[in-house]
Amino acid sequence: MIKKLILPLLLFFFSAAQAETIKTDVLVIGGGSCGVAAAIQSARSKVKTLLIEPGPWLGGTMTMGGMCVLDGGRNLPSGVWGEFRRKVTDYYHNRLGYDTSRNAILRFEPRIGADILKKITDTVKNLTVKMKTPWTVVKKDGTGWEVSITVNGETVKIEAKVLVDGTETGEVAQKLDLKFVRENTNLTERPADNIGDITWIAILKDFGRGSDKTIAKPEGYDPAIYNFLKGKDLKPILRAIQIPNDKYMLNWPEGAISAAQVNAQTREELYRKAKLRTLGLIYYIQTEMGYKNLGLDNEFGTTDHLAMIPYLKESRRLSGLVRMVQDDIKKPYERESKLYRTSIAVGENFYDNSFALTYASNPPDVTIQYRSPYSIPLGVVVVKDVENLLVTEKAISVTGQVNASTMYPSVQMTLGQGVGATAAYCAFFKTTTKHLNVRTIQGEIMDFKGYLMPFSDISQKDPHFRAIQQVGATGMLRGIQHMEGSTVEVHFDANDTVTTAEIRPVMNEIYTRFFLWFNKEKPGEKFTLGNLVSFISDYTLTDPATMQGTIRKLWKPVLKLPGDLDMNRSATRLEFAVLTNKYLNPFAKTVDVTGKVVN
């Protein structure tokens, strides 16, 4: 009798365990480059975090999608992205010919990238990762969320305070029937619920001279489609898309398949056509160009040896608290809104190596106005009118021109850290996305080595990195664009001197006493150290001689400034940033989500 009861009892307890509700502070749905970085940062910010990913790998586009030659982000190794970059370089540094220089293009095998991300997440406290875990239902529960997932064939409910849509195409937002933005440009009119055109990436391997890895002729093969390669030398193209171990990332955006209004009924046929287009390119390279030694590497473990998921550059986008436009990159300091002040991540425009096939002999023009590095504002990831829902990847609130850069995996990993810090802020302080404190969130990002401003000339190892980032985020000292070869960088230029004209507008905005001090002291064209110490004394109500003595005493041992305090000399940008940050603390001034100072 007892034995007969044991099995039903065990089944009862097993079912009860499966039926239990999982409670977490932050839930991230989707383990792409942005989602995984968001989960890592959220957990590191000491809140309980759960990441669910339907696929077998973390990393999304850059691992399961095969986009593993990353040009963007080379000069801005911010936070989690910088950590991932270092671990990839460390993994390959003993490989002959692997470029380990500070700002080399990052190249890796997709499987290795996924393994590195898993090893990082395995070491993070407060973080639980569930792979191969589909989700079915998502609904609002007060200020929090309820999500149903499938575990071992059973439905399990998750209750979370904050939800992060870490999918690459806003799938959570779509499930919630949120309205996507219809964008009209002079180039195209894209319906609001469309995703962009897709390509399918393959990893080729050089199997050595004499090998014949020619694939079967793909269905519908037409060599005329690939005639853009006719007469071209494939060797420089291969160098641009090379990854370790004699492999190559093959992607051809000009051969994209239109993905207009994708739904469950059309997706399978769309994907089939995209794969055939890629297989046709491989067949052309092998037969028409004579590279039979280049064959498909089974990097992904898929039956067709192609990437697990398609590569998309464009998708439907949501309406956020703010919308980032091209001028936020081209001329951020001239706009009425000062979105750079609310930065939670940085990005840089780049020469996308996925275009190597098309542009190998004629790379696109580089212009300083378009390609300048930039800051990404907090408001683009916060969904308007929906509490405690944050979005990532291609669903963020930006224009199509901006998306052309922000969609890139290295930028998204940087952005993910900002998303994670924002989610953790809401959970930790038991508040909602209606009550965000920009400066507190930014402080958390910097605590974990994240960038707010895209100053590539100031290393994280610089003792003044944080002071410069914080003063830069006020707009008091602006970033300066520099052409560096074929790229554009934004520098802080620490040794340049400060002019009164550049600091006066923001000083007036932040400090009510500055106007009175300015009319009394009447500083000249160059703002001197004497001027700065004078205002610090006035603002802090400290005797000028005492303040001067204190700063002189701390100049080298504590403030770590070069040279000596000379009251008659023009202040350098470094000196101004360090002294202002310490004694005037402009970063502590509250700003709203548009960057407006709230006095």
Side-chain angles (χ1 to χ4, degrees), residues 6-21 151-157:
I6 289 176
L7 182 59
L9 196 60
L10 288 173
L11 289 173
F12 170 79
F13 283 119
F14 178 77
S15 299
Q18 289 295 309
E20 288 181 359
T21 297
V151 179
N152 297 325
E154 299 286 339
T155 299
V156 176
K157 185 173 74 172

Side-chain angles (χ1 to χ4, degrees), residues 38-57:
I40 290 169
Q41 181 57 56
S42 174
R44 285 175 173 171
S45 293
K46 296 181 174 60
V47 300
K48 188 176 180 182
T49 305
L50 174 61
L51 168 63
I52 58 174
E53 164 56 46
W57 291 0

Side-chain angles (χ1 to χ4, degrees), residues 165-181:
D165 184 345
T167 65
E168 298 203 13
T169 56
E171 293 171 30
V172 174
Q174 184 185 37
K175 181 77 76 172
L176 290 165
D177 291 326
L178 298 184
K179 184 179 180 181
F180 291 91
V181 176

